[in-house]
Amino acid sequence: MSHKQEFSQTLWDQFKLSIFNVAYQIVGQNTQSLQTTILLSLIQFIQLIYLPFQIQLQSAWHNVVLSGEIQQFLQYFTVLRMLNQQKSSTYLLGLYIAISVVLLIAVIVILASILKQLINNQLLRVILSIAMKLFMTAGFVEILRLHLGFLVCKRDSNGNLKMLYTTDQECWTSGYIMHVCVVIFSITIMFLIVVIGSKLFIEIRNNRKNAFSQREAQTYTFMFVHASLSMLIYCLLEQPKYSLVVILIQVLTSFLFFYKIRLKRPFYNKVVQKLWSAISGLVFYTNFMLLTAFTFEHLILIGTIKGWLMTAPMLLVILLQEQRQNINLLQANLIQQLSSQEIIRLSEFLIELCESFEKDQNQEILMLGFLEVHKQTCLNPQCAIKTSFELSKKFKDNSKYTDQRMILKEIIDQTYQVALQIYPQSIDIRLHYSSYLLDTLEQGQKALIQLDKAEACCPSFGQQYLIFKMRKTIDQSYLKSSIAAKEVTYIQTIDRSMKYQYQQIKQLTEECAYRKISFWNTLLDENPNLAMLLKYGTQILQSIHLLNKQLFKFQRSNPQDASIFKLLEKFNRHVHQLESFKVVQKANKKKLIQQQSERQFLKNQDELSQYSYPVVVLELFGKANQPSIIRNVNQAFHSLLGYSKTDVIGKPISQILQDKYCKLHSVFVEDYFSQLRSDQVYETQERSQFLVSRTNYIIQTFSTNSVYMSDKGIFQFCRLRQDQCYNSCAFLIFNLDGKIESISASCISILNLDLRQLQIRQLTIQKLFPILMDNMDDYLNKMNVIVFENSITSLTKSSDFDEKQNDQITPSIYYGQLYEISAKNYQFTQQDLRQQIYGYYLKVQINEPLAPKEKYLIKKNILTHQFKYSIEQNSYIFEHLGQQTSKYESIKNDSEVQDEPKVCVFTQQSFQNRKQASVTIVTQQGLGHDIRTLRLFQGEIKEIIDLDQDDEDEEQIREQTQKLEIQEQKEQSQQIKISNQQELIIRLLNVPYSPILKKLILVLNTLMIVMFVIAIAMYLIINQTQSEFQAAITLLTASNQRFASILKIQSNLQDLRGSYLNLEQYTMKATNGRFAEINFVELSNELDILLANDYILTSANILINEKYQPILDQFQSAFVQMATTDNQYHNFTYPQAIQQMIAKAITLNGSALSSFVDDNEDFHYYLHNTLNSLPKSQLVSQAYYYSNILSLIDNLYFEEISFFSIQLCCLTLILLFFQLYLYFHQKELKEIISLYLMIREEQVKKIVNQFQTFIQLLQMNENDDIESIEEEPEAQDEQEFYLGQSNRNKKKKSVFEINNYKRVQFISLSFLILLYSFFSYLYFSATIITDQTNSLVPLVNLTSYLPIQYRLIDNSIKEMLYDENAVLFDELNSITKLQAELEGVKNLDAQLHVLNQENEQILSDQYKQIFNEIYIQNPCDIILAYDPSVNSSACLSFNKNILQEGLSIAITNFFENAENILQQYSYYDKNAVYNNLTFNISTNHRRNYTLNIFNTRIGNANRKMQKVFIRICHMQLSNELESYLSQHYSNLELQFTLLFMIFCVISILVYFVSWIPLQTKFYYETRRAREIQSLIPLDLYNTCQSLQVYLRWIKEN
């Protein structure tokens, strides 16, 4: 290789790596959800299924109607629907947008490859990623359709080659060729992107984050091939001439696409694979049915397209069925040499089996069968399964050699290694093997080695990208690990100075304290500003977040610094309880434990005697069926359960642990091993459990466990303790069905129940406590009275006594409390394990009877109930304690105080959590009332009160005492205790969002959607009305032009009659005898124009509203009287009469010259009726088509008023509900923050004092203790504070106003004003359309109607001159009628000029220029351009050069000539001799005179004016008006479309960028406000009644 070639190769390799890097950044790390993939796939399906139903292929289905409806439905999903039959500028706009997308992707990728820093822009990467994703999926077909649509040309009626999808672009002109070059270049770039991009979706392994990931790229490329070839052939070949070629190409490419999808299964995701299998199958089936219909329809088959519709759903169901796996594991074991692709598929299947066999029993059976067959058939002496089997025998305790997953992984590894020995040049195997090494075995270095070997085997472009991608992944994994290590080193280096770290934390705590002071001082204002509370609370939460962040950093660096611990302890006590501080404490403790060596730990196992509490050491095993083994116990354990060392060491844990708790322990061990913990020491929380003593009775203990990991195994160190209970308690454990399984030894003395009774009789809890199971909620974690039916007796009693007692049931009253045996206090990763209940245990206490009424009652401390924290249930439990015997209680003695009267002795009563004034009974009033009687009881002097003196007062005291006890018990039962800050935050954040706000959000979203839908409907209706306006104007013009053509044919018939009868001598002389031939040609041409206009009118579908129903009825009625040659009249509707005239004209067109005489019935019928009944009926037709336009105007006016009103209502409602939403949101925040107003001012001051104390502590010496500052005594009454009686305080008025909401209101109001403006613009635009239409339609009508009148006047005059007895306008030869009609035509001509002047501001410059050129200047250029039969000299010299002065002068001359002819006709004198006549045409004196009148210059001039010049000029004016109106409406439609698109974009942006984030912001503001509630100290929540009411409300909601 030369130096130049080597340089080029190096440059290409560098550029290729840059391309790979860009592709990796924008596509290689791409993630695409399953929902997005399904949506894009369905869009692609619609695009592909549209191809067989394209417009020019509809005839191939032989059912144009049904295929057309399907095509119209599918066309809604194509871009060309919006651009079809538009101006070329509109199409070019859409085309160049598509070209810009293609070129922009290519340019940015190339620039990013050259300038590497460009791809580091996150926004650019996201845009490129989305663009590439859309381009490779749903965007490709539409972009290609826009490109190819520009190349499709078709010849119009004039033979000009024009674009198919535009109305004015001619093909292969200079400008068109320039655009074609750009299109071809863009298509080339697009196919290059597709070919390269299809390689970028390849994944060696299933990328679960990208549902669109594929095994190989060739299959998906067939989709692009099918779409490209189908559209290219369709666009380039002439249709329907070459329809068969197009169909065959579509069938062939769709079959290849379907075959590849089904065979190769390119998609990893099973749902996507099934979806694309169904898509490709339906596309192929549709194209195949198209070929079948094109070939065999009406020959063999009928209704093929209906069959397709019926069978397509059934085929879809079949295709959606999951394909069977073609991996035969038995064959794979028996065949010693497989192909490379078979090895890859086998390995992928085994990897999938390895990952999921534990979740699926069928796969587990499949895996076990494969291992067993492989064990028997493997011939490799180093086979993984055989080696593992031998090692498992040698090392029985090591589960590594029996782990099925590990064995299967080793088999896969050996499979790849053997495959590489057989196929050393297979790049695919090396790539899959390196992926397996990297992802499954996590051996990155070996994966790199395989990638290097694969690169040396000359990989393809796609394989090179995969190698680059995998290397990049390995580099990033190494980079992350090195960065993590560097971060640890960096943090340790920065935090080496603990003084700096201490100052940092101190600064944060001090800042938090000052902010809390500002926060709580706001509550001391006369009118607290709740908005400021919210602001300060947010700042406090930020400070706490920063402090937690710093503590996490502190934890990673050095969590053993005493000064920081002391500072945090002060902060926790005085300012805020940090949950992260507990984590730091726990981490510090764990780190200290981890510093112990394994040798010391094993030494501690042997020296358990140093522990004074019971200790048990267990060895844990990861196998499912192997229980934990007891390895060591201490002396305290022997004393607790009565076992010796030989009894328990080496035995399973079920020896000492109750059965239910054995199951819990097994679940704990299984969960521990499932988490694959890397830490050496794992600490657990304290748990409650029941152990089984040597006598088989259970004992309740509490254990704290530590799990140690070492090379010798995994050990659990259990430290046991017993709860101190001063009352006798009995425990019964029973299962979920109520069967009693275990009891405690205290059941013998309390319940008279022992183990022998359980062994003999199957006792259930229902037999002993009948009401327990039916009322479990009353006893669950609550102490309550329970009835025990003592229907059983102890076995120690005599049989006689038993027989006497068997017939009796002695109910007893106890206090019972029920507990669940569950894993709530276990830190399981699976939530369902924590919710599972294994059984219950019942705690029973003796219900001590009330003491008998003694002669002397002593006042003593009473405390019968209390809340006690249960470690097992992780909550506070309301528990009953037995009545404790006070040391002051008197004992009645017969020898003491025998003669004293009955008295009561009282001491001060004390109730939990309150102070109560002592009750003093004044025994007497008056003299000596203060004398007290004292007696000596058990060595102490007590006050004696005589009961006989005041028995009523004593009863009142007892009643009050009982009421207070009942009230206290009720309050304590409802009290909610918050144990820690995290629990409080969870309770507060679990409060549901406000229902009112939810409803308002729903209403606002609904109104926005309704507004958007109405805007779409309004846009569609306005556009549709504009199109209908164009059609209606065309119909009005066509109606006038049709009748003008009928009269033009009438003129030709008159001239042909004159030619046959030799009456047209002047014209025959002027045309050199070709007058008849010229009229025949004109007749044929005019007949074609007549048929074309008639087709337009008859094919139109007109709907007129009820307002114009009389006009419709008249038009549809048979009001036209048609006369025959025998003077008979028949009534017809106007369309029927016109059809008769057309039929007569067609008949006469093919007749000889001799047929054009009055004796010919057809000739007479046509000529007579077109001069009499039809002209009068034409006004009804004109009114009918004119009322169609007026009806559309009325409909549009009604629709625009309706839509505008509805939109205004929607916008007003949105504004109203949005204001309500803001109001209720502020109200919600205010109510949340108002919780602080429930706290009394004294308590707020106390809290502020705590913060100030913390500030003072920070300013003191670091070594000073917290207790060095004495707190001022609180003078408030504890009982009053507990009850929350703050009625004495004045209710403060709060202020709550947030400035940000004003900004939100301003923005929302601005947007609504913008929407108001948009809809107002639409309304006024529609009004302008109606006004302009009202103004222009009379001009259009008159411009097309005037040629009728000119022609009718001229034909009538000629008929009158021909036949003095002619009936004209249903009158016999009336000159007066003709003169009146002539005056009417003059007025219409004047009105035409007036309308042009009135609409001068509306009309286009082009129309005004043509109008001026025709009427004022010289119209000959226009006439010559439109009618080539007229030569220039004839036009310029016509009638003494009159046209050179403009058509207005020529029309004035036309009127003068007509008046002159009528005047000459009226001057006829039968007695006069006319010697000056030019022609001697007839022997009849009068007839000769009249025929010579139209055989003059003026007669011939008028004839030529109405047949040629006026006709051409007015047709040109009509066409220009129609063109202007069409362009005007098109521009309005484009304007509306652009405006509507802007509206849609703004609406979508506002909805998704402003409205949705605003909802999210408000929601999180509410959550943040509830987090601010957690700043209230926990003791206030636990003691303040108002806050307790709030907590109970939270719990209920």
Side-chain angles (χ1 to χ4, degrees), residues 984-992 1563 1567-1568 1570-1571:
L984 175 61
I985 293 176
I986 292 174
R987 284 180 180 270
L988 293 175
L989 294 183
N990 285 337
V991 177
Y1563 173 74
R1567 287 178 63 88
R1568 186 165 61 248
R1570 296 202 179 276
E1571 287 184 20

Side-chain angles (χ1 to χ4, degrees), residues 697-741:
Y697 287 100
I698 57 174
I699 299 174
Q700 187 183 29
T701 61
F702 298 90
S703 67
T704 304
N705 305 302
S706 301
V707 182
Y708 297 87
M709 186 184 299
S710 66
D711 290 341
K712 294 186 177 181
I714 299 175
F715 299 91
Q716 182 178 354
F717 195 82
C718 307
R719 296 175 290 277
L720 307 177
R721 71 169 181 86
Q722 278 188 284
D723 194 12
Q724 293 182 359
C725 185
Y726 299 100
N727 299 319
S728 299
C729 300
F731 295 96
L732 297 89
I733 298 178
F734 56 93
N735 59 18
L736 299 177
D737 297 329
K739 180 182 177 182
I740 300 175
E741 297 181 353

Side-chain angles (χ1 to χ4, degrees), residues 240 283 368 372 384 919 1073 1200 1212 1321 1390 1433 1447:
V283 170
L368 293 174
E372 186 63 31
V919 181
E1200 68 188 15
T1212 306
Y1321 176 80
S1433 60
L1447 188 64

Side-chain angles (χ1 to χ4, degrees), residues 996-1063:
I996 297 178
L997 292 177
K998 287 182 180 178
K999 293 177 181 178
L1000 286 174
I1001 290 173
L1002 179 61
V1003 171
L1004 283 170
N1005 286 327
T1006 305
L1007 286 174
M1008 290 178 184
I1009 293 173
V1010 169
M1011 182 191 69
F1012 191 74
V1013 171
I1014 292 175
I1016 294 174
M1018 192 172 182
Y1019 163 75
L1020 294 176
I1021 287 176
I1022 289 178
N1023 276 351
Q1024 182 181 0
T1025 306
Q1026 290 176 356
S1027 302
E1028 291 175 352
F1029 273 149
Q1030 296 182 48
I1033 292 172
T1034 303
L1035 292 177
L1036 178 62
T1037 306
S1039 174
N1040 290 330
Q1041 289 180 353
R1042 179 177 64 177
F1043 195 73
S1045 297
I1046 289 175
L1047 294 181
K1048 173 67 166 51
I1049 293 174
Q1050 183 190 57
S1051 300
N1052 294 127
L1053 294 180
Q1054 288 179 336
D1055 293 343
L1056 288 172
R1057 180 185 61 185
S1059 298
Y1060 176 71
L1061 299 176
N1062 199 20
L1063 303 178

Side-chain angles (χ1 to χ4, degrees), residues 197-324:
S198 60
K199 308 289 184 181
L200 307 181
F201 287 96
I202 305 174
E203 298 282 352
I204 294 297
R205 289 291 305 278
N206 185 8
N207 184 3
R208 302 188 186 278
K209 295 182 180 180
N210 185 9
F212 202 64
S213 59
Q214 304 169 30
R215 291 182 174 87
E216 47 90 22
Q218 184 181 7
T219 301
Y220 188 69
T221 310
F222 272 91
M223 189 276 295
F224 300 112
V225 173
H226 167 65
S228 304
L229 285 178
S230 299
M231 288 191 289
L232 186 63
I233 299 299
Y234 173 80
C235 293
L236 297 182
L237 295 184
E238 183 181 353
Q239 306 297 327
K241 183 177 181 180
Y242 297 103
S243 296
L244 180 61
V245 178
V246 177
I247 296 172
L248 288 175
I249 293 295
Q250 292 187 174
V251 171
L252 179 62
T253 54
S254 61
F255 171 73
L256 291 176
F257 179 46
F258 171 62
Y259 175 75
K260 289 289 185 179
I261 287 286
R262 295 287 292 185
L263 179 66
K264 297 290 186 180
R265 297 176 55 86
F267 296 99
Y268 282 104
N269 191 287
K270 294 182 179 179
V271 177
V272 179
Q273 173 61 36
K274 288 197 292 184
L275 179 62
W276 272 100
S277 178
I279 289 173
S280 59
L282 285 176
V283 170
F284 165 65
Y285 178 66
T286 305
N287 285 286
F288 178 76
M289 293 296 287
L290 174 63
L291 179 61
T292 304
F294 182 78
T295 309
F296 300 107
E297 185 74 17
H298 301 308
L299 296 177
I300 300 176
L301 302 174
I302 298 177
T304 309
I305 190 171
K306 296 180 180 179
W308 172 80
L309 284 174
M310 295 176 62
T311 55
M314 295 183 286
L315 179 65
L316 177 63
V317 173
I318 297 172
L319 292 173
L320 285 177
Q321 300 295 323
E322 188 172 1
Q323 294 177 240
R324 296 181 179 178

Side-chain angles (χ1 to χ4, degrees), residues 1087-1143:
L1087 184 60
D1088 292 337
I1089 297 173
L1090 174 62
L1091 292 174
N1093 288 322
D1094 183 69
Y1095 176 77
I1096 294 173
L1097 293 172
T1098 54
S1099 61
N1101 185 19
I1102 299 176
L1103 297 175
I1104 300 178
N1105 57 31
E1106 297 178 355
K1107 181 179 178 181
Y1108 305 97
Q1109 188 64 37
I1111 298 175
L1112 178 62
D1113 295 338
Q1114 185 179 6
F1115 180 77
Q1116 293 178 348
S1117 64
F1119 69 97
V1120 182
Q1121 286 187 342
M1122 305 290 285
T1124 60
T1125 55
D1126 54 356
N1127 294 325
Q1128 294 184 2
Y1129 293 92
H1130 301 280
N1131 290 340
F1132 298 96
T1133 63
Y1134 182 79
Q1136 291 173 346
I1138 292 296
Q1139 296 303 318
Q1140 288 185 8
M1141 293 298 101
I1142 293 174

Side-chain angles (χ1 to χ4, degrees), residues 1391-1571:
Q1391 187 179 356
L1392 177 66
H1393 291 275
V1394 172
L1395 288 176
N1396 277 281
Q1397 291 178 356
E1398 290 177 352
N1399 296 295
E1400 186 177 3
Q1401 301 297 328
I1402 305 175
L1403 293 171
S1404 66
D1405 295 336
Q1406 180 72 16
Y1407 172 80
K1408 289 185 286 187
Q1409 180 182 353
I1410 293 177
F1411 184 83
N1412 291 333
E1413 188 176 352
I1414 289 175
Y1415 272 91
I1416 300 173
Q1417 300 174 10
N1418 187 354
C1420 287
D1421 293 338
I1422 295 175
I1423 295 172
L1424 295 175
Y1426 188 83
D1427 191 354
S1429 62
V1430 181
N1431 54 49
S1432 177
S1433 60
C1435 180
L1436 294 174
S1437 61
F1438 171 73
N1439 198 13
K1440 298 181 180 181
N1441 306 328
I1442 196 170
L1443 284 177
Q1444 296 185 20
E1445 299 178 8
L1447 188 64
S1448 60
I1449 303 299
I1451 289 177
T1452 303
N1453 181 259
F1454 176 84
F1455 292 139
E1456 293 175 353
N1457 292 337
E1459 290 174 348
N1460 190 10
I1461 292 173
L1462 291 176
Q1463 189 176 12
Q1464 290 181 20
Y1465 181 79
S1466 63
Y1467 288 165
Y1468 170 73
D1469 185 2
K1470 62 180 179 180
N1471 298 319
V1473 177
Y1474 299 101
N1475 297 321
N1476 58 345
L1477 296 179
T1478 307
F1479 301 102
N1480 187 14
I1481 302 173
S1482 175
T1483 59
N1484 188 317
H1485 183 266
R1486 181 182 181 88
R1487 184 177 177 83
N1488 188 48
Y1489 176 78
T1490 56
L1491 291 175
N1492 271 278
I1493 292 176
F1494 71 77
N1495 272 286
T1496 58
R1497 182 185 59 80
I1498 60 174
N1500 182 63
N1502 276 18
R1503 195 67 169 174
K1504 195 167 185 179
M1505 275 285 296
Q1506 62 93 2
K1507 286 179 66 175
V1508 180
F1509 301 123
I1510 293 178
R1511 168 178 168 268
I1512 294 174
C1513 290
H1514 276 263
M1515 286 187 68
Q1516 186 64 23
L1517 286 174
S1518 297
N1519 293 337
E1520 185 60 31
L1521 272 176
E1522 285 190 50
S1523 175
Y1524 162 69
L1525 288 174
S1526 176
Q1527 183 179 2
H1528 175 67
Y1529 286 129
S1530 298
N1531 293 335
L1532 284 177
E1533 184 178 0
L1534 180 61
Q1535 182 181 357
F1536 285 155
T1537 302
L1538 293 176
L1539 189 63
F1540 179 71
M1541 291 176 65
I1542 294 172
F1543 163 75
C1544 292
V1545 171
I1546 293 176
S1547 300
I1548 292 172
L1549 286 177
V1550 169
Y1551 186 83
F1552 289 101
V1553 178
S1554 297
W1555 170 237
I1556 299 299
L1558 183 65
Q1559 296 179 55
T1560 307
K1561 177 186 175 183
F1562 282 1
Y1563 173 74
Y1564 282 107
E1565 276 185 0
T1566 307
R1567 287 178 63 88
R1568 186 165 61 248
R1570 296 202 179 276
E1571 287 184 20

